[in-house]
Amino acid sequence: MKKTLYISAIAAMMAGTALTSCSDFLEAENKSAGGNTAEDFFAKKPQTLLYSAFAALQPIADQEDIYNQGTDLYMNTRGMNDGDFGQYNLSSDNSVVQSMYVNCYGLINYANGVIKYAAATSTEAYEARFLRAYGYYLLTQHFGNVPYVTTYIDNANREYPRTQIAEIYPSLISDLTDLYNNSSLAAQSEHDGHVSKQAIAALLAKINLAAGWDLNTTLGDAQKGTYSISGTSYFSEAASWAEKSISGITLYENFNDKWLPANEAKNQEEIWSVKYERNGYPGDASEGGNSRMYTYGGYPTGDSKANLKYVNSQLQQSEKSMKLFEKGDTRYEGTFMTTWFCGDTWEDGYMSYYNGASIEKGHKVAELWFPYYTDEAEADSIVEAHKAQFENINSGIAVTFRGAILNPDGIVLYTVANGTVKKSNVELSAFNTQTANGVCVKKFDDPTSVYATRTSSFRDIVIFHATDMILTAAEANLMAGNTSGYWENINKVRNRAGLASLQSVSEYDPQYTVTAAFGNTTELDLLLDERARELYAEHSRWEDLRRTKQLVRYCLAFNRNVNTVADMSSPSGEIRWYRPIPQNEIENNTGMTVADQNPGY
């Protein structure tokens, strides 16, 4: 197939495509122009391109490696390495990077089409402007300077030079500010995937925060994560917009309630999500959803026999993550499935947790994982008391129970056989090569999914939510010099998690191990740790570390693949702060040359 610049070929490629719905408000139908010109068709039905724009969000949101590999929180297990992202071995022909770049420009061009054909004061045009800005936000975070196109591409033009982020950020902020002030969009989220002013404020907070870091801070020492600040106006704006986005939201009393499937339809903390809808899906619904629930955990023992959830051993807890949550932090149990129930059916297996199954009620258990701070005698007692539930866990099939205290300094491993509990000490490196090697993330579980098909989850993918915005406000206030605003917001999320307020960073005592080279814990480190706990397994970690100029420092301390700065650099010593611009995009864009490639590639 002849290579062409994707952003210049979108219209021709998609004109006759049947588009898949991403919610019941985006009904799937054949969008063929039926012999009319694109001008005729889209002028009459600009919402057609809006459907396409919303559908384009799904592959962007349903991707894990580009957002989280190569950070401090995750590692692949069961003998797998951490891949090109985790090892900083990306090349300009990496398929995931190419997909991200292509899909973001697809989203942008569909949005530009809506803006061209719809009335300027229509809801369609308002939403399209937001979607376009979101696409550029993602591109700037991962690629830096990129072609900035604000007109619909429906011709063979191939000249799209890169635009400096110093020009892109102000343009996005100006357009979104006008959209917030002058559009007729709903004030708050209606939980249907549509854009609200609340979502616009959230995106403005994110873009202003990024602009503050990228335009008004200068890196000092990459290994130490030092920087200087030349201006605070963007940070002050970010704090203000974050507060606007939070206005009217009351946090759930318990963190676990935020992610319960039963609360998804009217999640009071959700600001904007990428929607999925099983009802009315036009294809095979067992394969038409997303894969979020099948990542972030170890591969279970006897999954298909005991109806355990399939998890692919990717993005399991790193050593730091195992000790990230302190005792009493309700976010641990709200994030991880520590007890894996099993049974003869899917509903009676792993998913029975959502129907009230518990160890105390006598339900069969295949895996039981204790956090690092668990007293060993307490764990011994629990396993011994419930060992009858850990055997014969599936009629006629031998599936071995496994459990452990997940302490990276030394795993305490439990097994049960013939009524006898066996306990042993296992090195973390050996434990990670085994199956059933730890907790999985439960935040994205879909109890209505079909067993073990890896794209059968129809849970919405939340992009912006209240506590993300609270921590965005904390970060922005810190950088703007408003320390009282920083501590107020830090303590909001800590208090909801059952933790005491802090008044200074000297009161913070992280339990994970740091090296002398990492240096003393700062207010920014505390902020990044709270983001790690509050947003664990969400698509933010790599962006958080790159934005705050801590990527090298954190990888040196906590990424098992990085021992020196050279491990994150090109042979000539250029640090890979961004993703590579896809090579075929450079080759087929007459406005770009090899000199436009990002440093390090």
Side-chain angles (χ1 to χ4, degrees), residues 373-393:
Y373 48 74
T374 305
D375 178 78
E376 191 170 335
E378 178 186 0
D380 292 348
S381 176
I382 292 172
V383 175
E384 182 66 33
H386 296 278
K387 63 183 179 182
Q389 295 162 236
F390 304 149
E391 289 198 279
N392 302 316
I393 59 179

Side-chain angles (χ1 to χ4, degrees), residues 63-77 80-88 90 142 295-296 312-316 538-539 541-543 545 551 555 559-561 579:
Q63 215 294 321
E64 313 298 339
D65 288 356
I66 200 166
Y67 296 107
N68 284 324
Q69 292 278 22
T71 67
D72 56 329
L73 301 182
Y74 312 99
M75 60 182 173
N76 295 343
T77 57
M80 295 190 294
N81 64 40
D82 295 327
D84 291 339
F85 286 92
Q87 299 177 95
Y88 287 86
L90 288 175
H142 287 270
T295 313
Y296 303 106
N312 60 13
S313 298
Q314 295 181 22
L315 295 165
Q316 177 60 286
E538 297 177 50
H539 289 167
R541 194 57 177 180
W542 188 88
E543 292 175 15
L545 296 183
L551 184 63
C555 282
N559 184 333
R560 64 182 179 176
N561 304 289
R579 313 306 192 181

Side-chain angles (χ1 to χ4, degrees), residues 297-566:
Y299 186 85
T301 298
D303 53 357
S304 62
K305 300 171 184 176
N307 285 289
L308 304 183
K309 182 176 75 169
Y310 170 87
V311 190
N312 60 13
S313 298
Q314 295 181 22
L315 295 165
Q316 177 60 286
Q317 289 178 311
S318 67
E319 291 187 42
K320 176 182 177 179
S321 289
M322 287 185 179
K323 285 193 169 183
L324 181 65
F325 297 80
E326 63 184 276
K327 188 174 183 178
D329 191 331
T330 61
R331 290 173 293 192
Y332 189 87
E333 291 292 338
T335 299
F336 299 107
M337 185 67 82
T338 57
T339 304
W340 291 49
F341 298 109
C342 54
D344 294 328
T345 66
W346 182 224
E347 294 75 17
D348 196 41
Y350 174 92
M351 290 298 175
S352 64
Y353 166 84
Y354 298 101
N355 292 319
S358 69
I359 290 183
E360 290 75 20
K361 293 178 182 178
H363 205 94
K364 298 175 184 178
V365 177
E367 299 179 15
L368 183 61
W369 308 110
F370 301 98
Y372 72 94
Y373 48 74
T374 305
D375 178 78
E376 191 170 335
E378 178 186 0
D380 292 348
S381 176
I382 292 172
V383 175
E384 182 66 33
H386 296 278
K387 63 183 179 182
Q389 295 162 236
F390 304 149
E391 289 198 279
N392 302 316
I393 59 179
N394 199 53
S395 57
I397 301 173
V399 180
T400 304
F401 161 81
R402 289 168 65 84
I405 301 175
L406 298 174
N407 189 329
D409 300 326
I411 303 294
V412 180
L413 180 65
Y414 297 91
T415 59
V416 177
N418 300 318
T420 301
V421 176
K422 295 183 179 180
K423 183 173 72 169
S424 59
N425 295 313
V426 181
E427 294 290 330
L428 178 62
S429 58
F431 178 71
N432 281 337
T433 65
Q434 304 172 7
T435 57
N437 51 28
V439 294
C440 70
V441 168
K442 69 178 185 181
K443 291 165 74 171
F444 316 121
D445 283 349
D446 180 2
T448 66
S449 64
V450 178
Y451 169 75
T453 56
R454 301 180 194 182
T455 55
S456 68
S457 172
F458 279 79
R459 289 288 300 274
D460 299 338
I461 296 179
V462 178
I463 304 299
F464 298 139
H465 57 75
T467 49
D468 179 13
M469 286 297 106
I470 290 172
L471 291 171
T472 296
E475 182 180 338
N477 279 312
L478 174 67
M479 298 302 290
N482 180 1
T483 55
S484 62
Y486 166 80
W487 287 111
E488 178 184 356
N489 284 291
I490 286 288
N491 288 325
K492 281 181 183 178
V493 296
R494 287 181 59 83
N495 293 163
R496 196 267 289 272
L499 301 179
S501 295
L502 300 174
Q503 304 303 321
S504 72
V505 74
S506 63
E507 298 175 21
Y508 178 53
D509 184 23
Q511 298 302 297
Y512 54 82
T513 302
V514 297
T515 62
F518 185 76
N520 295 327
T521 300
T522 66
E523 286 85 353
L524 182 59
D525 293 324
L526 170 59
L527 180 282
L528 289 170
D529 278 357
E530 291 301 338
R531 286 191 66 81
R533 288 183 274 264
E534 195 74 25
L535 281 74
Y536 192 89
E538 297 177 50
H539 289 167
S540 64
R541 194 57 177 180
W542 188 88
E543 292 175 15
D544 288 347
L545 296 183
R546 185 214 64 82
R547 179 185 67 254
T548 58
K549 295 177 167 55
Q550 303 306 304
L551 184 63
V552 174
R553 176 177 174 239
Y554 271 59
C555 282
L556 285 169
F558 306 114
N559 184 333
R560 64 182 179 176
N561 304 289
V562 177
N563 297 306
T564 67
V565 180

